[in-house]
Amino acid sequence: MKNITVVGAGTMGNGIAHVFAMNGYQVNLVDISEKALEKAIATIAKNLDRMIKKEKISEEDKNATLARINTYTQLEEGVKEADLVVEAATENVDLKLKIFSSIDQLAPEKAVLATNTSSISITKIAAATQRPEKVIGMHFMNPVPVMKLVEVIRGYATTDAITQQIMELSRNLGKIPVEVNDYPGFVANRILMPMINEAVYTLYEGVAGVMEIDTVMKLGMAHPMGPLQLADFIGLDVCLSILRVLHDGFGNPKYAPCPLLVNMVTAGKLGRKSGEGFYSYGHGTKELIIAPTFAK
Ligand code: NAD
């Protein structure tokens, strides 16, 4: 695989493009928004500068990496020579089904189609194509250039050969791939989201405050971030939608999202990206919020 197309140039798409280009792959980055593409290239350049400062790469490496990335607003142009397409567009099931149906028609027959979805069924996405055996989950973690893990998710029809090819490719990117099967939340979010939900319940029931809950998990369990701070970082809307996927997918009430989480999302308190969640990010630094009425 030499030519990689990344569809969606947001938070994850720019990181995925960065990592492929830095490892010598030719990258076509596609987004419907010209502005998102410009921002993505600026972000990649800034992150490469940071790596130069840390003496991890040279100025020439930076220039060569940037030279390997081309940007497109037309999907057709971006995928026509792809060996692999990694889709990292907005997390919306109808949108992804539409994108995969189009990519399937526009990309070469041999191309493998991967998705970076956090929660949507790979099997469902694969069913929107005529090549379900070549569709796979490639779940990178945020921030992509830093985080080692790639959760490689086999859909119901994904072949062993394609799975091994993607495992090998992930290793070539300096990542550590882990193979998992396609069930709601895969492994990462199936375990992480109930923990975050339980932390919100603990707050909701007044067992402890935000700081206390995060401190217990940081100092007691050696987590680098407490679960409420992590929820703010991921986005409370994203956490809620993944919990709903788990709840619907398994039909088990243990995944029911905490009413406080639902209320906060309804009120537009989405965490870091909206400036306020369990903490406030108004001045660029995190401050504790005591706002939720149920909380101590
Ligand atoms: P984002 O909102 O930052 O970026 C999404 C991008 O997709 C936007 O630039 C948007 O313009 C573009 N887009 C929308 N429709 C498109 C289309 N039809 N064609 C091309 N581009 C289109 O989102 P993100 O946080 O980068 O998430 C992308 C994917 O990665 C989602 O599936 C998400 O679940 C997954 N993911 C996110 C994280 C995270 O921490 N943010 C972690 C792991 C996986």
Side-chain angles (χ1 to χ4, degrees):
M1 284 180 170
K2 288 198 184 91
N3 296 316
I4 313 295
T5 300
V6 179
V7 178
T11 310
M12 297 304 286
N14 83 62
I16 296 168
H18 171 144
V19 167
F20 273 109
M22 211 176 70
N23 285 281
Y25 295 89
Q26 206 58 46
V27 176
N28 286 350
L29 182 56
V30 181
D31 202 293
I32 43 169
S33 153
E34 184 72 54
K35 223 168 133 196
L37 289 168
E38 283 167 17
K39 194 171 158 211
I41 297 297
T43 304
I44 295 169
K46 196 178 77 193
N47 289 337
L48 290 168
D49 281 335
R50 198 170 294 155
M51 295 179 85
I52 295 176
K53 251 193 196 147
K54 289 185 182 163
E55 296 182 359
K56 285 187 174 167
I57 60 167
S58 66
E59 188 73 37
E60 294 80 70
D61 295 331
K62 173 191 163 185
N63 294 336
T65 299
L66 288 173
R68 281 193 282 268
I69 305 175
N70 290 308
T71 60
Y72 300 87
T73 50
Q74 296 302 317
L75 186 64
E76 189 173 355
E77 287 302 306
V79 300
K80 67 181 183 203
E81 281 169 12
D83 298 315
L84 168 70
V85 180
V86 183
E87 173 277 324
T90 315
E91 185 81 344
N92 173 303
V93 66
D94 294 333
L95 175 73
K96 298 225 191 246
L97 296 181
K98 226 174 99 194
I99 291 177
F100 270 80
S101 160
S102 305
I103 295 174
D104 188 37
Q105 287 162 29
L106 299 170
E109 213 174 301
K110 63 171 194 299
V112 174
L113 311 185
T115 172
N116 186 51
T117 180
S118 306
S119 62
I120 299 167
S121 159
I122 308 302
T123 308
K124 188 171 191 165
I125 290 174
T129 74
Q130 301 300 314
R131 59 180 105 187
E133 72 289 349
K134 291 201 187 81
V135 177
I136 193 160
M138 215 177 169
H139 187 200
F140 290 88
M141 305 290 134
N142 183 18
V144 183
V146 177
M147 298 291 279
K148 283 276 174 204
L149 178 68
V150 181
E151 203 179 15
V152 175
I153 307 133
R154 299 180 66 127
Y156 192 85
T158 317
T159 61
D160 286 342
I162 296 291
T163 307
Q164 287 322 310
Q165 199 179 3
I166 295 300
M167 296 284 286
E168 186 62 32
L169 178 75
S170 305
R171 287 186 202 101
N172 291 343
L173 297 175
K175 302 294 183 197
I176 298 174
V178 174
E179 181 184 330
V180 312
N181 286 316
D182 179 30
Y183 288 99
F186 317 132
V187 170
N189 283 320
R190 180 168 178 173
I191 295 172
L192 176 64
M193 288 302 156
M195 184 190 74
I196 286 177
N197 199 35
E198 205 56 35
V200 184
Y201 264 114
T202 310
L203 177 70
Y204 172 69
E205 291 169 1
V207 177
V210 173
M211 273 313 233
E212 288 77 7
I213 293 166
D214 275 357
T215 304
V216 166
M217 297 305 285
K218 274 196 292 189
L219 301 186
M221 317 300 156
H223 290 190
M225 243 187 236
L228 298 173
Q229 189 188 348
L230 180 58
D232 273 1
F233 179 72
I234 295 169
L236 302 194
D237 52 337
V238 175
C239 295
L240 179 60
S241 92
I242 298 174
L243 278 162
R244 288 202 162 124
V245 167
L246 292 171
H247 194 207
D248 291 347
F250 291 114
N252 186 331
K254 77 176 178 180
Y255 298 110
C258 176
L260 174 57
L261 181 66
V262 176
N263 262 359
M264 290 177 75
V265 172
T266 309
K269 310 293 181 200
L270 307 183
R272 211 166 68 158
K273 65 185 164 192
S274 73
E276 195 179 307
F278 296 104
Y279 298 84
S280 163
Y281 303 86
H283 311 290
T285 51
K286 119 181 127 59
E287 286 165 22
L288 184 62
I289 292 271
I290 325 263
T293 38
F294 312 87
K296 236 169 96 180

